[in-house]
Amino acid sequence: MDTILSNAVQSIQIGVEDYLSKDPRRVLSSVRNITAGVLLLFKEKLRELSPVGSNEVLIKQNITPKADSRGNVELRGSGKKTVDVQQIRERFTALTISVDWKRFEDIVHIRNDIEHYCTTETASRLKELLADSFLIMRDFITSQLGYEPVDLLGEETWNVLLNQANVYNKELAECKVEQDKIAWNSSALQEISEYLRCPHCQSELLKPTNPTEDHIPSIEFHCASCGKESLFEDLAESAANSCYEWEMYIAMTDGGEPPLTQCHECGTETYVVEEDLCARCGTSKEFHECFLCGATLDTSEQDFGGLCGYHYWQAQKDD
Protein backbone atom coordinates (compact mmCIF):
# COMPACT_ATOMS: atom_id res chain seq x y z
CA MET A 1 0.00 0.00 0.00
CA ASP A 2 1.34 3.44 -0.95
CA THR A 3 2.44 5.74 1.88
CA ILE A 4 -0.31 8.31 1.21
CA LEU A 5 -3.03 5.67 1.21
CA SER A 6 -1.56 4.02 4.29
CA ASN A 7 -1.52 7.38 6.08
CA ALA A 8 -5.13 7.98 5.04
CA VAL A 9 -6.27 4.66 6.50
CA GLN A 10 -4.33 5.19 9.72
CA SER A 11 -5.72 8.72 10.16
CA ILE A 12 -9.31 7.49 9.74
CA GLN A 13 -8.78 4.53 12.08
CA ILE A 14 -7.20 6.72 14.77
CA GLY A 15 -9.98 9.28 14.34
CA VAL A 16 -12.60 6.61 15.00
CA GLU A 17 -10.65 5.40 18.04
CA ASP A 18 -10.62 8.99 19.34
CA TYR A 19 -14.38 9.20 18.76
CA LEU A 20 -14.98 6.05 20.82
CA SER A 21 -12.84 7.37 23.69
CA LYS A 22 -14.62 8.66 26.81
CA ASP A 23 -11.97 11.36 27.16
CA PRO A 24 -13.62 14.62 25.91
CA ARG A 25 -10.19 16.03 25.05
CA ARG A 26 -9.93 13.60 22.15
CA VAL A 27 -12.92 15.06 20.29
CA LEU A 28 -10.77 17.57 18.41
CA SER A 29 -8.22 14.89 17.62
CA SER A 30 -11.00 12.75 16.15
CA VAL A 31 -12.20 15.59 13.92
CA ARG A 32 -8.70 16.42 12.72
CA ASN A 33 -7.75 12.83 11.96
CA ILE A 34 -10.94 11.94 10.08
CA THR A 35 -10.84 15.14 8.00
CA ALA A 36 -7.15 14.60 7.25
CA GLY A 37 -7.88 11.00 6.27
CA VAL A 38 -10.49 12.02 3.68
CA LEU A 39 -8.09 14.61 2.21
CA LEU A 40 -5.36 11.98 1.95
CA LEU A 41 -7.75 9.69 0.05
CA PHE A 42 -8.21 12.52 -2.47
CA LYS A 43 -4.45 13.02 -2.75
CA GLU A 44 -3.94 9.31 -3.29
CA LYS A 45 -6.14 9.50 -6.39
CA LEU A 46 -4.07 12.39 -7.74
CA ARG A 47 -0.88 10.45 -6.99
CA GLU A 48 -2.23 7.46 -8.92
CA LEU A 49 -2.97 9.63 -11.94
CA SER A 50 0.43 11.38 -11.94
CA PRO A 51 2.61 10.20 -14.85
CA VAL A 52 5.59 7.99 -14.06
CA GLY A 53 8.72 10.08 -13.51
CA SER A 54 6.76 13.29 -12.88
CA ASN A 55 7.56 13.39 -9.15
CA GLU A 56 3.85 12.91 -8.42
CA VAL A 57 3.06 16.16 -10.21
CA LEU A 58 -0.68 16.19 -9.56
CA ILE A 59 -0.34 16.33 -5.78
CA LYS A 60 2.29 19.06 -5.75
CA GLN A 61 1.43 22.74 -5.36
CA ASN A 62 4.36 23.77 -7.54
CA ILE A 63 4.64 22.43 -11.07
CA THR A 64 7.82 22.95 -13.12
CA PRO A 65 8.16 22.39 -16.89
CA LYS A 66 11.14 20.29 -17.98
CA ALA A 67 12.44 19.63 -21.49
CA ASP A 68 13.88 16.21 -22.34
CA SER A 69 16.76 15.55 -24.76
CA ARG A 70 14.36 15.72 -27.71
CA GLY A 71 12.88 19.03 -26.66
CA ASN A 72 9.59 17.57 -25.46
CA VAL A 73 8.17 19.46 -22.49
CA GLU A 74 7.08 17.52 -19.44
CA LEU A 75 5.49 18.80 -16.24
CA ARG A 76 7.02 17.69 -12.95
CA GLY A 77 6.18 18.34 -9.35
CA SER A 78 8.63 20.39 -7.32
CA GLY A 79 9.02 21.09 -3.62
CA LYS A 80 7.40 19.36 -0.67
CA LYS A 81 4.13 21.31 -0.47
CA THR A 82 1.09 19.36 -1.62
CA VAL A 83 -2.21 20.63 -3.00
CA ASP A 84 -4.75 22.33 -0.75
CA VAL A 85 -8.51 21.79 -0.86
CA GLN A 86 -9.19 24.35 -3.60
CA GLN A 87 -6.43 22.93 -5.79
CA ILE A 88 -7.73 19.41 -5.27
CA ARG A 89 -11.18 20.56 -6.35
CA GLU A 90 -9.81 22.36 -9.41
CA ARG A 91 -7.76 19.34 -10.50
CA PHE A 92 -10.63 16.91 -9.88
CA THR A 93 -12.88 19.14 -11.99
CA ALA A 94 -10.33 19.19 -14.81
CA LEU A 95 -9.97 15.41 -14.60
CA THR A 96 -13.78 14.86 -14.35
CA ILE A 97 -13.44 13.14 -10.97
CA SER A 98 -16.74 13.36 -9.13
CA VAL A 99 -16.90 14.24 -5.42
CA ASP A 100 -19.82 15.43 -3.31
CA TRP A 101 -18.21 18.78 -2.55
CA LYS A 102 -21.15 20.08 -0.54
CA ARG A 103 -20.79 17.19 1.85
CA PHE A 104 -17.02 17.59 2.03
CA GLU A 105 -17.41 21.32 2.71
CA ASP A 106 -19.70 20.35 5.58
CA ILE A 107 -16.90 18.21 7.00
CA VAL A 108 -14.44 21.09 6.78
CA HIS A 109 -16.95 23.47 8.38
CA ILE A 110 -17.49 21.06 11.27
CA ARG A 111 -13.73 20.86 11.80
CA ASN A 112 -13.49 24.64 11.76
CA ASP A 113 -16.42 25.06 14.15
CA ILE A 114 -15.02 22.67 16.72
CA GLU A 115 -11.43 23.81 16.31
CA HIS A 116 -11.92 27.59 16.27
CA TYR A 117 -15.26 28.34 17.87
CA CYS A 118 -15.33 25.69 20.60
CA THR A 119 -18.99 24.85 20.03
CA THR A 120 -20.58 23.08 23.00
CA GLU A 121 -22.53 20.69 20.81
CA THR A 122 -19.53 18.64 19.74
CA ALA A 123 -21.33 15.30 20.09
CA SER A 124 -23.98 16.20 17.50
CA ARG A 125 -21.48 17.81 15.15
CA LEU A 126 -19.15 14.85 15.42
CA LYS A 127 -21.98 12.49 14.51
CA GLU A 128 -22.61 14.66 11.46
CA LEU A 129 -18.96 14.54 10.49
CA LEU A 130 -18.91 10.76 10.78
CA ALA A 131 -22.09 10.45 8.71
CA ASP A 132 -20.77 12.73 5.95
CA SER A 133 -17.35 11.06 6.02
CA PHE A 134 -18.96 7.65 5.71
CA LEU A 135 -20.83 8.61 2.54
CA ILE A 136 -17.82 10.29 0.91
CA MET A 137 -15.43 7.48 1.78
CA ARG A 138 -17.86 4.77 0.65
CA ASP A 139 -18.29 6.34 -2.79
CA PHE A 140 -14.71 7.52 -3.31
CA ILE A 141 -12.93 4.38 -2.12
CA THR A 142 -15.14 2.19 -4.29
CA SER A 143 -15.45 4.24 -7.48
CA GLN A 144 -12.08 6.04 -7.57
CA LEU A 145 -9.62 3.87 -5.65
CA GLY A 146 -11.04 0.45 -6.52
CA TYR A 147 -11.26 -0.96 -2.99
CA GLU A 148 -14.08 -2.26 -0.83
CA PRO A 149 -14.26 0.20 2.12
CA VAL A 150 -14.53 -2.55 4.74
CA ASP A 151 -11.39 -4.21 3.36
CA LEU A 152 -9.39 -1.00 3.20
CA LEU A 153 -10.40 0.52 6.55
CA GLY A 154 -11.00 -2.65 8.54
CA GLU A 155 -14.25 -4.11 9.82
CA GLU A 156 -14.21 -2.39 13.22
CA THR A 157 -13.65 1.11 11.84
CA TRP A 158 -16.14 0.65 9.02
CA ASN A 159 -18.89 -0.62 11.32
CA VAL A 160 -18.53 2.39 13.64
CA LEU A 161 -18.85 4.76 10.66
CA LEU A 162 -21.80 2.79 9.29
CA ASN A 163 -23.70 2.73 12.58
CA GLN A 164 -23.22 6.43 13.32
CA ALA A 165 -24.19 7.38 9.78
CA ASN A 166 -27.43 5.40 10.07
CA VAL A 167 -28.40 7.08 13.35
CA TYR A 168 -27.58 10.60 12.21
CA ASN A 169 -29.19 10.22 8.80
CA LYS A 170 -32.43 9.06 10.43
CA GLU A 171 -32.52 12.26 12.52
CA LEU A 172 -31.68 14.36 9.46
CA ALA A 173 -34.37 12.67 7.35
CA GLU A 174 -37.01 13.63 9.92
CA CYS A 175 -35.91 17.26 9.71
CA LYS A 176 -35.93 17.21 5.90
CA VAL A 177 -39.52 15.88 5.86
CA GLU A 178 -40.63 18.98 7.73
CA GLN A 179 -38.48 21.32 5.62
CA ASP A 180 -40.02 19.89 2.45
CA LYS A 181 -43.36 21.36 3.56
CA ILE A 182 -41.99 24.87 2.97
CA ALA A 183 -42.96 26.52 -0.35
CA TRP A 184 -39.74 28.33 -1.20
CA ASN A 185 -41.11 29.78 -4.48
CA SER A 186 -37.58 30.32 -5.77
CA SER A 187 -34.93 27.95 -7.10
CA ALA A 188 -32.24 30.01 -5.33
CA LEU A 189 -34.00 29.79 -1.97
CA GLN A 190 -34.58 26.09 -2.51
CA GLU A 191 -30.85 25.59 -3.08
CA ILE A 192 -29.83 27.86 -0.19
CA SER A 193 -32.15 25.94 2.14
CA GLU A 194 -29.86 22.93 1.78
CA TYR A 195 -27.20 24.89 3.69
CA LEU A 196 -29.25 26.02 6.67
CA ARG A 197 -27.39 25.76 9.98
CA CYS A 198 -28.30 26.55 13.56
CA PRO A 199 -26.45 29.79 14.44
CA HIS A 200 -26.01 28.58 18.03
CA CYS A 201 -24.42 25.15 17.48
CA GLN A 202 -24.01 24.92 13.65
CA SER A 203 -26.10 21.74 13.42
CA GLU A 204 -28.16 21.04 10.28
CA LEU A 205 -30.83 19.28 12.35
CA LEU A 206 -33.39 22.07 11.93
CA LYS A 207 -37.17 21.56 11.98
CA PRO A 208 -39.49 24.38 10.90
CA THR A 209 -42.22 25.02 13.48
CA ASN A 210 -44.44 26.95 11.03
CA PRO A 211 -43.57 25.51 7.58
CA THR A 212 -46.73 26.86 5.91
CA GLU A 213 -45.87 30.48 6.77
CA ASP A 214 -46.07 32.56 3.57
CA HIS A 215 -43.53 35.16 4.71
CA ILE A 216 -40.34 33.10 4.44
CA PRO A 217 -38.14 35.38 6.62
CA SER A 218 -40.57 34.68 9.49
CA ILE A 219 -40.37 30.90 9.30
CA GLU A 220 -39.05 29.63 12.64
CA PHE A 221 -36.71 26.65 12.99
CA HIS A 222 -36.20 24.50 16.08
CA CYS A 223 -32.75 22.93 16.41
CA ALA A 224 -33.01 19.26 17.34
CA SER A 225 -29.41 19.37 18.54
CA CYS A 226 -29.31 22.31 20.99
CA GLY A 227 -33.04 23.03 21.36
CA LYS A 228 -32.88 26.71 20.37
CA GLU A 229 -35.13 28.54 17.90
CA SER A 230 -34.08 30.79 15.02
CA LEU A 231 -35.91 32.64 12.26
CA PHE A 232 -35.01 32.04 8.63
CA GLU A 233 -33.82 35.64 8.36
CA ASP A 234 -31.21 34.80 11.01
CA LEU A 235 -30.02 31.76 9.05
CA ALA A 236 -30.08 33.14 5.50
CA GLU A 237 -26.78 35.02 5.28
CA SER A 238 -24.61 32.13 6.46
CA ALA A 239 -26.55 29.66 4.28
CA ALA A 240 -26.29 31.86 1.17
CA ASN A 241 -22.55 32.33 1.63
CA SER A 242 -22.05 28.59 2.07
CA CYS A 243 -24.23 27.82 -0.94
CA TYR A 244 -22.33 30.16 -3.27
CA GLU A 245 -18.90 29.75 -1.69
CA TRP A 246 -17.32 28.14 -4.75
CA GLU A 247 -18.85 30.63 -7.20
CA MET A 248 -17.72 33.54 -5.01
CA TYR A 249 -14.21 32.10 -4.98
CA ILE A 250 -14.17 31.77 -8.79
CA ALA A 251 -15.43 35.35 -9.22
CA MET A 252 -12.74 36.63 -6.85
CA THR A 253 -9.86 34.71 -8.45
CA ASP A 254 -10.86 34.55 -12.14
CA GLY A 255 -13.00 37.65 -12.41
CA GLY A 256 -16.63 37.99 -13.36
CA GLU A 257 -19.77 39.03 -11.51
CA PRO A 258 -20.17 37.48 -8.05
CA PRO A 259 -23.44 35.59 -7.49
CA LEU A 260 -24.22 37.54 -4.30
CA THR A 261 -24.19 41.25 -3.57
CA GLN A 262 -25.34 43.51 -0.74
CA CYS A 263 -29.09 43.95 -0.44
CA HIS A 264 -30.25 47.58 -0.59
CA GLU A 265 -33.08 46.82 1.84
CA CYS A 266 -31.58 44.75 4.67
CA GLY A 267 -27.89 45.48 4.07
CA THR A 268 -26.66 41.89 4.12
CA GLU A 269 -24.65 40.07 1.45
CA THR A 270 -27.65 37.95 0.46
CA TYR A 271 -28.93 39.46 -2.78
CA VAL A 272 -28.93 36.71 -5.44
CA VAL A 273 -27.99 38.55 -8.64
CA GLU A 274 -29.27 35.88 -11.05
CA GLU A 275 -32.74 35.79 -9.49
CA ASP A 276 -32.95 39.50 -8.62
CA LEU A 277 -34.01 38.54 -5.12
CA CYS A 278 -32.70 38.91 -1.58
CA ALA A 279 -32.52 35.51 0.08
CA ARG A 280 -32.85 37.08 3.55
CA CYS A 281 -35.66 39.63 3.30
CA GLY A 282 -37.26 38.69 -0.03
CA THR A 283 -37.00 42.14 -1.65
CA SER A 284 -36.29 42.76 -5.34
CA LYS A 285 -34.99 45.79 -7.20
CA GLU A 286 -37.56 48.51 -7.90
CA PHE A 287 -35.47 50.14 -10.62
CA HIS A 288 -33.70 48.02 -13.23
CA GLU A 289 -32.50 50.59 -15.81
CA CYS A 290 -31.52 54.24 -15.69
CA PHE A 291 -34.37 56.13 -17.35
CA LEU A 292 -31.88 58.58 -18.90
CA CYS A 293 -29.20 56.31 -20.36
CA GLY A 294 -30.63 52.81 -20.04
CA ALA A 295 -27.71 51.50 -17.98
CA THR A 296 -28.47 48.47 -15.80
CA LEU A 297 -28.86 49.50 -12.16
CA ASP A 298 -27.42 47.42 -9.34
CA THR A 299 -28.60 47.27 -5.75
CA SER A 300 -26.33 50.14 -4.68
CA GLU A 301 -28.22 52.47 -7.05
CA GLN A 302 -31.76 51.73 -5.85
CA ASP A 303 -31.94 54.89 -3.74
CA PHE A 304 -31.28 57.12 -6.75
CA GLY A 305 -34.90 57.17 -7.97
CA GLY A 306 -34.30 55.36 -11.25
CA LEU A 307 -30.99 57.04 -12.10
CA CYS A 308 -27.57 55.47 -12.46
CA GLY A 309 -24.80 56.68 -10.19
CA TYR A 310 -23.42 59.04 -12.83
CA HIS A 311 -26.70 60.77 -13.68
CA TYR A 312 -27.68 60.92 -10.01
CA TRP A 313 -24.40 62.68 -9.30
CA GLN A 314 -25.02 65.04 -12.21
CA ALA A 315 -28.50 65.82 -10.88
CA GLN A 316 -27.13 66.52 -7.44
CA LYS A 317 -24.44 68.72 -8.96
CA ASP A 318 -26.98 70.74 -10.95
CA ASP A 319 -29.04 71.33 -7.84
Side-chain angles (χ1 to χ4, degrees):
M1 187 183 298
D2 181 77
T3 302
I4 294 178
L5 185 56
S6 176
N7 288 344
V9 171
Q10 290 176 19
S11 292
I12 294 165
Q13 290 173 337
I14 294 171
V16 169
E17 289 175 9
D18 289 332
Y19 170 75
L20 295 174
S21 171
K22 295 181 180 180
D23 186 345
R25 295 173 299 178
R26 293 177 65 178
V27 169
L28 182 53
S29 177
S30 175
V31 171
R32 284 172 172 164
N33 280 312
I34 292 173
T35 307
V38 175
L39 275 171
L40 286 168
L41 290 177
F42 293 167
K43 290 181 181 181
E44 168 62 13
K45 181 61 178 180
L46 291 175
R47 186 201 66 80
E48 283 186 355
L49 294 175
S50 297
V52 176
S54 67
N55 192 28
E56 299 178 338
V57 62
L58 292 177
I59 66 169
K60 297 296 178 68
Q61 281 194 9
N62 298 318
I63 298 176
T64 303
K66 297 281 186 180
D68 61 20
S69 58
R70 298 182 178 180
N72 297 316
V73 176
E74 299 175 347
L75 298 178
R76 296 182 185 176
S78 62
K80 294 183 178 180
K81 289 186 177 181
T82 57
V83 285
D84 58 24
V85 175
Q86 293 293 356
Q87 289 173 315
I88 292 173
R89 183 166 182 169
E90 290 167 358
R91 293 182 190 185
F92 275 13
T93 299
L95 296 165
T96 63
I97 297 172
S98 178
V99 168
D100 186 343
W101 288 110
K102 175 189 178 299
R103 200 173 295 279
F104 181 70
E105 287 165 2
D106 289 344
I107 293 174
V108 174
H109 288 154
I110 292 169
R111 181 196 62 186
N112 293 342
D113 290 337
I114 296 177
E115 187 168 26
H116 301 300
Y117 300 106
C118 301
T119 176
T120 57
E121 298 296 328
T122 53
S124 174
R125 295 292 273 157
L126 191 48
K127 286 181 182 177
E128 184 181 348
L129 179 138
L130 288 170
D132 285 333
S133 299
F134 166 80
L135 293 171
I136 286 182
M137 286 187 277
R138 180 194 64 190
D139 294 342
F140 196 81
I141 290 172
T142 302
S143 64
Q144 298 297 334
L145 299 179
Y147 289 90
E148 286 299 321
V150 66
D151 295 333
L152 184 64
L153 299 176
E155 186 175 353
E156 182 178 358
T157 297
W158 188 243
N159 283 335
V160 171
L161 291 168
L162 176 61
N163 291 335
Q164 291 303 318
N166 287 339
V167 171
Y168 187 84
N169 287 329
K170 182 179 179 181
E171 295 178 358
L172 182 60
E174 293 174 358
C175 293
K176 292 299 183 184
V177 167
E178 296 302 310
Q179 289 185 22
D180 286 343
K181 296 177 181 178
I182 300 173
W184 294 107
N185 301 322
S186 158
S187 59
L189 286 177
Q190 180 75 56
E191 188 174 357
I192 289 171
S193 73
E194 297 296 320
Y195 294 82
L196 293 177
R197 295 279 179 179
C198 172
H200 306 287
C201 71
Q202 295 302 308
S203 173
E204 63 178 341
L205 300 178
L206 294 170
K207 288 184 180 181
T209 59
N210 54 341
T212 58
E213 167 66 49
D214 291 334
H215 187 237
I216 289 178
S218 299
I219 295 177
E220 184 181 67
F221 290 84
H222 173 82
C223 178
S225 177
C226 70
K228 296 181 179 179
E229 274 77 32
S230 304
L231 294 176
F232 176 79
E233 65 181 7
D234 299 321
L235 311 175
E237 185 171 15
S238 176
N241 279 275
S242 294
C243 179
Y244 291 101
E245 183 176 18
W246 177 246
E247 290 86 350
M248 295 289 281
Y249 170 79
I250 293 298
M252 181 179 65
T253 56
D254 296 346
E257 186 177 25
L260 296 177
T261 190
Q262 186 179 51
C263 175
H264 55 284
E265 187 68 28
C266 66
T268 59
E269 200 84 3
T270 50
Y271 200 92
V272 184
V273 175
E274 185 177 6
E275 288 210 358
D276 191 22
L277 173 75
C278 177
R280 182 177 183 270
C281 68
T283 193
S284 296
K285 290 188 295 186
E286 180 181 357
F287 303 104
H288 292 83
E289 293 183 353
C290 174
F291 68 80
L292 289 179
C293 67
T296 300
L297 303 179
D298 61 29
T299 55
S300 66
E301 297 171 305
Q302 291 304 295
D303 293 332
F304 297 163
L307 296 174
C308 65
Y310 173 76
H311 283 111
Y312 178 76
W313 177 78
Q314 287 283 0
Q316 295 294 103
K317 181 181 174 183
D318 293 341
D319 289 343

